[in-house]
Amino acid sequence: MPDVRPTQTRAVTPAEVKAVLDAEETGVPFLHWRTADGTQQLSLLEPTAWRITVGRKPESDIALTWDAEVSRTHALIERVGGQWVIVDDGMSTNGSFVNGSRVVGRQSLHDQDRLCFGQTILIYREPTDRDKSESTARAPKQTVPLSETQRKVLIALCRPVDESQFATPATNKQIADELFLSVDAVKAHLRVLFERFELEELPQNEKRARLAARALTEGVLSPHDF
């Protein structure tokens, strides 16, 4: 049987990061995951919803049709008293896992929990309210100091994305060639940028896209920079 594990480590595009940022700003809990071909999927857990079905059946609310290790009816995600919980009371063959631990019965979910069904990983997000999210979103423009070289590195990183939101940020070599810097110097500047934008804890494949998305959507860079 071919490996159907979703492409979790593929390069994240700024458009995908923006979709997650937009979901965060709603203040509504949501789930995001990748299909077998690496396409990002996102599902808001709206206040009017109370039960989400997860399974291999196409009619499931979250249909993981490509994953042979997922049962046709695998698990439920339910809202109980304002708290979302995952329910797997033996309905699945291979079990459901949260942060590596098997779910027995039901388990409450918390922000950034990793849910595993078969070979597919879903991330549960429970963002803060919209006002706080918008306040946080405005902070980088006001508070992140950039040297002239750091700003040039950021512009070079974002240049492909400015031309197409579905492009990936420039590579270290592309930035180095544009600015006549060494690749090591580019890496050093990017490390500082990741720290200043509080992105250093993110997975390596997500840092660059999230930095580019924030720089372009939060007003750190403007059209005349390109």
Side-chain angles (χ1 to χ4, degrees):
M1 178 181 296
D3 185 4
V4 296
R5 183 179 298 278
T7 313
Q8 302 289 347
T9 58
R10 67 183 282 279
V12 179
T13 68
E16 292 171 337
V17 173
K18 185 177 184 301
V20 173
L21 291 174
D22 289 345
E24 289 174 352
E25 289 188 6
T26 68
V28 175
F30 65 95
L31 293 158
H32 65 96
W33 67 97
R34 293 192 179 279
T35 62
D37 65 1
T39 303
Q40 177 174 273
Q41 299 291 313
L42 191 148
S43 177
L44 291 176
L45 304 179
E46 298 285 2
T48 54
W50 68 277
R51 172 178 285 178
I52 305 296
T53 59
V54 180
R56 204 171 73 251
K57 293 191 298 185
E59 58 267 31
S60 301
D61 296 315
I62 296 178
L64 310 179
T65 55
W66 62 87
D67 194 331
E69 294 186 13
V70 171
S71 298
R72 287 177 57 78
T73 301
H74 196 102
L76 302 173
I77 298 173
E78 295 183 340
R79 183 164 52 85
V80 179
Q83 173 72 54
W84 285 95
V85 301
I86 179 174
V87 182
D88 188 335
D89 54 4
M91 66 181 71
S92 68
T93 301
N94 295 314
S96 304
F97 298 80
V98 175
N99 301 326
S101 299
R102 185 161 187 159
V103 175
V104 179
R106 62 179 58 219
Q107 180 173 330
S108 297
L109 296 176
H110 304 282
D111 189 38
Q112 299 287 1
D113 276 350
R114 293 169 61 85
L115 287 60
C116 183
F117 307 110
Q119 297 188 63
T120 306
I121 295 174
L122 284 69
I123 307 298
Y124 172 77
R125 294 301 319 279
E126 192 172 280
T128 54
D129 62 76
R130 185 181 180 87
D131 291 341
K132 184 174 180 181
S133 296
E134 291 178 346
S135 175
T136 301
R138 289 192 296 268
K141 183 177 180 180
Q142 301 171 355
T143 64
V144 177
L146 298 176
S147 70
E148 182 179 354
T149 302
Q150 288 163 358
R151 187 172 186 82
K152 288 180 179 178
V153 168
L154 189 58
I155 292 169
L157 176 80
C158 295
R159 192 177 304 282
V161 181
D162 179 65
E163 296 173 356
S164 171
Q165 65 172 328
F166 298 105
T168 56
T171 65
N172 291 341
K173 187 176 186 309
Q174 288 172 328
I175 297 170
D177 290 345
E178 178 177 334
L179 302 180
F180 302 100
L181 296 172
S182 69
V183 170
D184 285 341
V186 171
K187 289 179 179 179
H189 286 301
L190 285 174
R191 280 195 295 269
V192 173
L193 289 169
F194 294 147
E195 291 173 1
R196 291 189 178 175
F197 283 83
E198 300 181 351
L199 303 174
E200 66 270 24
E201 299 302 322
L202 290 176
Q204 192 63 37
N205 67 309
E206 187 176 342
K207 288 179 182 178
R208 302 167 73 89
R210 186 167 282 252
L211 177 59
R214 288 185 57 178
L216 293 170
T217 61
E218 297 172 6
V220 179
L221 299 180
S222 59
H224 75 263
D225 287 314
F226 301 94

